[in-house]
Amino acid sequence: MTEVLKTAHPATVRAWVDGWVISRNAPRPVREPWGLRVDVGLPGHLSRHIVAAPTPEILHHLTGVLTTPGTWLKLCAAAPAVAPSLPERWAVQDPEYMMTAPLTRHAPDVPAGYTLAVTTRAGVTAARLLTAAGEVAARGQVAPAGRTAVVDQVETAAGHRRRGLGTAVVRTLMSTAASMGARTGLLVATAEGQALYETLGWTLHTPMTAAVLTG
């Protein structure tokens, strides 16, 4: 487990959390002895506890004091390293991957038949690719926080996948963040998304495991 934990740098994890709360309009993170806490306050997602170095001792403590269903753990380690320390009531989710990339300004190539719309509100820039009928075919958003920026909620509608839309959205977000002064991009990807981001110059910082306390 020690080898896995070395991949997560606490400052990088904090930068991701800082951008994530801006992106999701969530309360600012609270520092805890073991990591960070965000009181999200949503049904099924009451709070999240982000741990950069999830040792068995820390997990034993957290799973002992956290008793409210809808509480989440975000652990900077692969599931095989942390799942044995989680009681049965904690449902382990699909693997995730925290990734980083240098940010540069460049104009994205918008696939034919789509229109790019970029809007900024409350510090969050959203990029959308629209069909001729005005439907959202792909979208994503980015939240700059100082010299880092968090790319978040990137998705492509089912009928529009494998056409380069995700690439165009991500490149737009990266360029926009760079124009705002950010130099490093951060995101947490699914296994499927990781393959896309790697083609765009993103590299793995740490595997992540999410677990939610069930009823």
Side-chain angles (χ1 to χ4, degrees):
M1 186 170 182
T2 301
E3 181 179 352
V4 173
L5 297 181
K6 288 181 179 178
T7 64
H9 194 287
T12 301
V13 175
R14 175 62 194 247
W16 171 70
V17 176
D18 285 343
W20 187 90
V21 298
I22 296 173
S23 176
R24 302 298 179 98
N25 192 29
R28 289 187 58 81
V30 177
R31 190 176 296 278
E32 299 281 4
W34 38 259
L36 298 167
R37 185 188 84 242
V38 178
D39 297 318
V40 182
L42 296 176
H45 195 166
L46 299 180
S47 64
R48 58 168 43 197
H49 303 258
I50 305 95
V51 186
T55 65
E57 293 76 17
I58 289 175
L59 296 181
H60 177 75
H61 169 73
L62 286 176
T63 57
V65 299
L66 300 176
T67 59
T68 305
T71 300
W72 285 75
L73 297 176
K74 301 287 283 190
L75 309 173
C76 295
V82 293
S85 298
L86 299 175
E88 290 185 1
R89 289 184 62 199
W90 289 89
V92 175
Q93 308 299 295
D94 291 336
E96 298 177 331
Y97 306 89
M98 182 178 291
M99 306 183 75
T100 66
L103 299 177
T104 57
R105 299 179 64 175
H106 55 271
D109 293 325
V110 179
Y114 299 92
T115 301
L116 175 65
V118 180
T119 57
T120 300
R121 182 178 181 182
V124 180
T125 296
R128 297 177 298 156
L129 284 174
L130 308 176
T131 66
E135 299 174 339
V136 178
R139 70 168 309 279
Q141 61 194 49
V142 65
R147 296 183 66 82
T148 61
V150 170
V151 173
D152 190 26
Q153 294 189 318
V154 177
E155 56 185 354
T156 301
H160 301 273
R161 293 172 183 165
R162 303 193 183 282
R163 301 180 185 179
L165 274 64
T167 295
V169 166
V170 174
R171 284 181 171 164
T172 298
L173 297 175
M174 293 172 69
S175 181
T176 300
S179 70
M180 294 179 176
R183 293 294 174 262
T184 302
L186 290 166
L187 59 80
V188 171
T190 62
E192 181 179 4
Q194 183 187 22
L196 166 65
Y197 296 121
E198 285 179 342
T199 67
L200 300 178
W202 293 75
T203 58
L204 177 66
H205 180 68
T206 177
M208 295 192 72
T209 299
V212 59
L213 182 60
T214 60

